[in-house]
Amino acid sequence: MIEVRSMNDQPATHVQFSSPGFLTLFPSFSPSKVDGIVKESLPNAKFRVELLATKAVIVCSTSGKMRKNFVRVLVGDPVKVELSPYDLTRGRITYRSRGPGKDRPGSPQFPTPDAPPPPPSS
């Protein structure tokens, strides 16, 4: 099996044979994943998200699986964002994290009644 690589030594995702003996390679783009916080809700399931690393504000839409599973995104929620390799002001929200105080019962913030109390901090 022959592995086709593009000019920047990345695995090519698309190979096009445009004429005999000549082929065009399209590099594979892996979107960069960053963390952010939702600052504003916009129409059509879009959000303004402030990235934690750079403090830049970008416009993001929700991913298809989040729409399919009716995951609600609210202002103030911490999210994981995939940045577009073509336009760094646009992104896709792929995961909504549980923020502080939004954990499930049984977590350290909400202990269950039969769980032993946590050890005292020294």
Side-chain angles (χ1 to χ4, degrees):
M1 181 174 164
I2 298 173
E3 183 177 356
V4 179
R5 294 197 165 266
S6 63
M7 298 285 287
N8 58 1
D9 203 33
Q10 297 290 324
T13 57
H14 181 73
V15 179
Q16 176 182 354
F17 295 95
S18 53
S19 63
F22 181 76
L23 71 127
T24 306
L25 301 176
F26 296 96
S28 61
F29 291 108
S30 60
S32 46
K33 297 175 183 170
V34 293
D35 293 327
I37 294 182
V38 177
K39 291 296 178 187
E40 183 183 358
S41 178
L42 302 172
N44 291 336
K46 295 199 184 282
F47 301 91
R48 284 199 204 280
V49 176
E50 180 181 1
L51 303 180
L52 295 178
T54 61
K55 301 294 183 200
V57 177
I58 63 172
V59 177
C60 296
S61 59
T62 55
S63 68
K65 286 199 173 191
M66 288 183 68
R67 289 182 190 179
K68 176 184 165 188
N69 293 312
F70 300 106
V71 175
R72 301 291 179 217
V73 179
L74 302 174
V75 174
D77 283 345
V79 292
K80 292 193 186 288
V81 176
E82 286 183 354
L83 289 177
S84 169
Y86 304 107
D87 185 3
L88 295 177
T89 63
R90 305 236 173 234
R92 177 185 310 123
I93 298 175
T94 57
Y95 184 77
R96 181 185 69 93
S97 304
R98 296 181 189 277
K102 296 182 182 179
D103 291 333
R104 293 182 176 146
S107 68
Q109 292 180 348
F110 301 100
T112 55
D114 54 328
S121 302
S122 322

